[in-house]
Amino acid sequence: MNTIKPLIFLIPVITFLIIIILYFNLLKKVQNKAVFTRFVLTLLILAFAFNFAWEIIQLPLYKDYAFDIRHVSFCALASLADVMMVLLIYFVFAKIYKSPFWIKGLTFEKALFITFTGGIGAALSEMRHLSKGDWSYSSYMPVVPIIHVGLSPLLQFMLLPLLIYFVSFSILSRFENNNKNKN
């Protein structure tokens, strides 16, 4: 892991602005704004927790790693970027499927499309960071032939977004059912 360069923040800032615009655009389309906001907050929290755990677990797959404050802080920063990608993917698919709660109608084809999208995004991001020298892999990182990116970060964005969406929606549904039963 090399030092953090200011330019590394450009894409996250642009992504953050797009997420904010999409969030408010989708918020206009929902009947219960509090429920949608709760769902998005749940997505945000789970995305950070799941991605931070993944980042910490995969640390030994990168060169010059250590379980110290510098590397753990870098993992937390990477997890914030991961959160933005999880939200961006969800919101873009909400626009494509014309439903803020599209996860409710998840089909195998949609799941495959989201998995593929996450994989493409992860591959492009890894290629960019590797070429810039932001990080490099240790000999323990399994590398995907042809695209030469690590299998772990690729799987991270092929698996975690769908898991996060599904768990978040399940939590929201349980919460909503409990509230209905109390009334």
Side-chain angles (χ1 to χ4, degrees), residues 10-179:
L10 180 62
I11 291 175
V13 167
I14 292 168
T15 303
F16 181 71
L17 293 173
I18 292 169
I19 288 168
I20 295 297
I21 291 166
L22 288 171
Y23 168 76
F24 283 109
N25 184 272
L26 290 167
L27 192 62
K28 290 180 196 173
K29 298 178 190 306
V30 295
Q31 289 181 339
N32 192 331
K33 293 173 183 355
V35 169
F36 183 67
T37 299
R38 190 175 304 119
F39 174 69
V40 171
L41 286 173
T42 304
L43 275 177
L44 192 147
I45 292 165
L46 289 179
F48 183 81
F50 286 21
N51 280 289
F52 185 66
W54 191 290
E55 296 287 351
I56 294 294
I57 290 167
Q58 75 176 353
L59 258 180
L61 303 175
Y62 290 85
K63 279 189 180 170
D64 304 322
Y65 86 95
F67 288 104
D68 59 18
I69 190 69
R70 180 173 169 251
H71 287 86
V72 172
S73 297
F74 190 83
C75 287
L77 182 61
S79 298
L80 290 175
D82 297 339
V83 167
M84 288 194 294
M85 292 312 296
V86 166
L87 290 172
L88 182 64
I89 291 169
Y90 188 87
F91 291 161
V92 167
F93 277 92
K95 296 300 281 179
I96 290 169
Y97 296 131
K98 296 177 174 55
S99 171
F101 292 107
W102 61 266
I103 193 69
K104 191 178 350 181
L106 185 65
T107 63
F108 178 76
E109 290 80 17
K110 286 179 183 178
L112 209 54
F113 191 33
I114 292 157
T115 301
F116 181 73
T117 301
I120 295 290
L124 292 173
S125 176
E126 282 296 300
M127 286 179 198
R128 178 178 170 269
H129 287 290
L130 289 168
S131 71
K132 289 178 58 195
D134 292 330
W135 54 72
S136 56
Y137 303 137
S138 75
S139 60
Y140 299 115
M141 175 70 81
V143 176
V144 178
I146 300 171
I147 59 173
H148 307 290
V149 299
L151 181 60
S152 181
L154 193 63
L155 286 175
Q156 180 178 2
F157 259 86
M158 291 178 77
L159 302 175
L160 287 188
L162 261 180
L163 177 63
I164 292 162
Y165 304 152
F166 181 76
V167 172
S168 296
F169 187 73
S170 296
I171 290 170
L172 179 69
S173 296
R174 219 172 304 128
F175 180 79
E176 292 301 307
N177 286 338
N178 286 343
N179 280 348

